[in-house]
Structure formats: structure tokens, C-alpha cells
Amino acid sequence: MTSQFSQALLSWFAQQGRHNLPWQQMPTPYRIWISEIMLQQTQVNTVIPYYQRFLEQFPDIFSLANSSLENVLHYWSGLGYYARARHLHQTAQQICSQHQGQIPTDYAQLIQLPGIARSTAGAILALAYQQPYPILDGNVKRILCRYYAIEGWPGQTPITEKLWKLAADLTPLLQVDKYTQAIMDLGATVCTRQHPKCALCPVHSHCAAHQQGQATHYPTPKPVKIRPLKTLFLLMCQTEDGQIFLEKRPLKGIWGGLWSFPECATALEITKWCQHHLNISTPTCYTWPSFLHGLTHFQLDITPIHIPLPNNYSQHNILSNGIWYHSQLQTGGLAAPVSRLLTQLQEKFHHDT
């Protein structure tokens, strides 16, 4: 059954798989590694333009290692899950200092590097070095849960370990790079979460979920957990010539290491913040419409507060741990909602002037 499964996927991949993805062209270990990190929790179509821009700026591991973290975050801006970018930079530096710039071919060494977990390590070794290591990303979990009609949420440890064993059993010794790409492609294009195209699947005749007529019953959904709501006020301080104050967030926590607006947890704190940091006792504040921004473990209820500064305001009055942003200034990384608000502020400024 194992050889039948893998052979069916390889034959399907030759005819129907994706062969023109950017990281498939000149598939060096470095390019594969970057793509695998970007593809964590992010779809291919979203990743491609970021990947191309990132590789233009950092064509090899030495250019990435020698860059500042701020520059790396700048070229990651908008892709989300920014810990991935910090781990990329840290790992590049470790590989250059400890492995002479060569991404390890040894699984034990590879999995010790920041941001490289079990499935990512398997993908790098399979795609870049043709070593027969399995992967178990979301696509593969879905395929295996359906193929074997496995009940239970795949995030539970017993289910996860069962899936790892099955993934290892199905992984062939030869053409492992093609097989690995094939099973990822199958999950992304045929065995999709909603509306799977079972008639086009090369292994549907032996798929237990298909035989039951219950493909979308698997995998078992994650138990619903209500994400807590956190209220946040973002203070958009703007000078008369349109410059906007941004400060760098701590490395730990949401939007770690990115540039953002100062924040307050309550509306009552806004006046105190302005008094303390701007030396303005009665600031002019305009409340913009609130909006929700979802994160992995909670939701943010964000209320932007526009604070136009007086005409005679001196920028030197404000804290020194920030920058005055304008449209020609290249900063480090910006979280997606901050980037959108900056665009709206600049559009409003140009409209008003």
C-alpha cells in the first residue's frame, strides 16, 4: 500500500503538480529554507511576492546574516507571524558562524536551529538534499486523516504521533523531493479543506473518507476556544508637516521588534501619556472608528486616536526611542494595521493640504 500511494502521487505530480513555483527554480538549500519558513501558516499565493522581494534583497545566507534585524523585518512587513523573520535572521547568523554558511544536512543539527521544527526540517532535507524525511504540515495532516479516516483533532499528541508514523511509512526512499512537493500540492489543490476534488485525486480509490462519502468530516476540527478580546488605543501623533511618531516595540510580545504607534490600554491614559511624553496638557484628539485585528491567541479591539500637534510643537520634546515617519522614510517592519493607518493618515494629510 505504501509504494502504491507514493507511486500514485509521483505519477500525478508529473502531470498535475506545480512545477513553476519560485523556490523550485534553482532549488538551493537556502532558497528552500526561506520558502519553507514563509509558507508556515501562509498560503502560496500570498508568499510568492514576498519571497521574490526577500530574495532580491537577501540573495544568499551571508547577506541575510549580515543585515540588521530591522532591515529583515522591513522586507517581511505584511507577511505576519514576525517571529519567523526574527528566527530567520538568528538562524542565518548561527549557520554562518557555526556551519561555515552551509545549511546542515544532519537532522539533529537542523532541528536545533531557531524556527526549524520537525516538519520544516523534514521538508528542507527532502527538497534540498533528497534525504527521505517525512513532513507533516497542515496539508499532509488533512490528507492522511482522510485517507485513513482518522478520528480526533490532529493537534492531540497521540493523533499527531500516529500521523507522523504514517507519514514516515509513506515517504519513499527515492524521488523524495518530488514526493514531498507532490503531497503538499495534493493538499493545496485537490484535497482542500472545503470542497475537495476527490474525482481528481490519484489515491481516492483507497481513501477511507472518500469511500464513506465523508471527506469533509476529516480531519476533526480543533475544539472551539473563544479568543479573549484586548482593547488597545493607538496614538497617531502628527506634526503640521505630516510627520508621524513611531516607536519600536519590544522584541517579545505582539509585533515584536516592529515600528508602531504608542499605545494606551484605556482612554483615560491618553491625556496622561500626552502630558508626560508630549508636554501637552490638553491635547486635541480625534477618535477614528475602531476595528478588530485577529491574532493567534486573542483579538485586538483597536481604536486609533489622531493627535495633530500644535504648529509650534518641537519634535525634540518627545521620547528619544522613536522616529518621525514620512512617506519617503524607509523603516524596519510595520505591522499590517499600523501600515494601513499610516497610509490613511498620509492620504488625509495630502487631502487636507
Side-chain angles (χ1 to χ4, degrees), residues 49 153 173 200 203 219 221 227 273 283 295 305:
W153 175 50
L173 296 177
L200 302 179
V203 294
R227 289 182 293 177
W273 188 94
L295 298 170
I305 305 295

Side-chain angles (χ1 to χ4, degrees), residues 191-238:
C191 193
T192 52
R193 184 176 288 106
Q194 303 291 334
H195 311 297
K197 307 176 184 68
C198 294
L200 302 179
C201 178
V203 294
H204 76 269
S205 60
H206 293 96
C207 175
H210 177 64
Q211 291 172 351
Q212 296 171 3
Q214 292 187 315
T216 55
H217 177 74
Y218 303 92
T220 302
K222 181 179 180 179
V224 176
K225 182 179 180 180
I226 298 176
R227 289 182 293 177
L229 190 66
K230 178 181 178 181
T231 300
L232 196 65
F233 294 86
L234 294 180
L235 311 187
M236 305 183 300
C237 306
Q238 189 171 30

Side-chain angles (χ1 to χ4, degrees), residues 49-122:
Y50 286 95
Y51 176 84
Q52 292 171 327
R53 189 173 69 133
F54 198 88
L55 264 292
E56 287 176 3
Q57 181 68 20
F58 310 110
D60 55 54
I61 198 165
F62 296 101
S63 60
L64 178 57
N66 292 328
S67 175
S68 67
L69 175 58
E70 186 167 322
N71 196 37
V72 174
L73 289 170
H74 173 74
Y75 283 91
W76 195 275
S77 283
L79 198 53
Y81 299 100
Y82 291 93
R84 296 182 296 175
R86 296 194 296 273
H87 288 152
L88 265 182
H89 188 239
Q90 186 180 357
T91 294
Q93 293 178 329
Q94 285 191 25
I95 290 174
C96 288
S97 63
Q98 300 173 15
H99 302 283
Q100 295 74 52
Q102 300 298 313
I103 294 176
T105 60
D106 178 73
Y107 176 83
Q109 291 182 336
L110 195 57
I111 205 169
Q112 293 299 316
L113 295 170
I116 299 182
R118 191 173 177 182
S119 187
T120 302

Side-chain angles (χ1 to χ4, degrees), residues 162-206:
K162 181 177 183 178
L163 292 172
W164 268 114
K165 184 178 186 309
L166 291 170
D169 290 342
L170 293 173
T171 301
L173 296 177
L174 302 177
Q175 300 188 80
V176 67
D177 54 339
K178 293 183 175 63
Y179 170 82
T180 299
Q181 188 63 56
I183 198 166
M184 291 191 291
D185 284 5
L186 186 71
T189 64
V190 175
C191 193
T192 52
R193 184 176 288 106
Q194 303 291 334
H195 311 297
K197 307 176 184 68
C198 294
L200 302 179
C201 178
V203 294
H204 76 269
S205 60
H206 293 96

Side-chain angles (χ1 to χ4, degrees), residues 5 139-148 183 186-187 191:
F5 181 95
N139 285 322
V140 178
K141 288 178 181 178
R142 185 167 59 254
I143 291 169
L144 297 183
C145 283
R146 288 174 176 171
Y147 192 77
Y148 292 102
I183 198 166
L186 186 71
C191 193

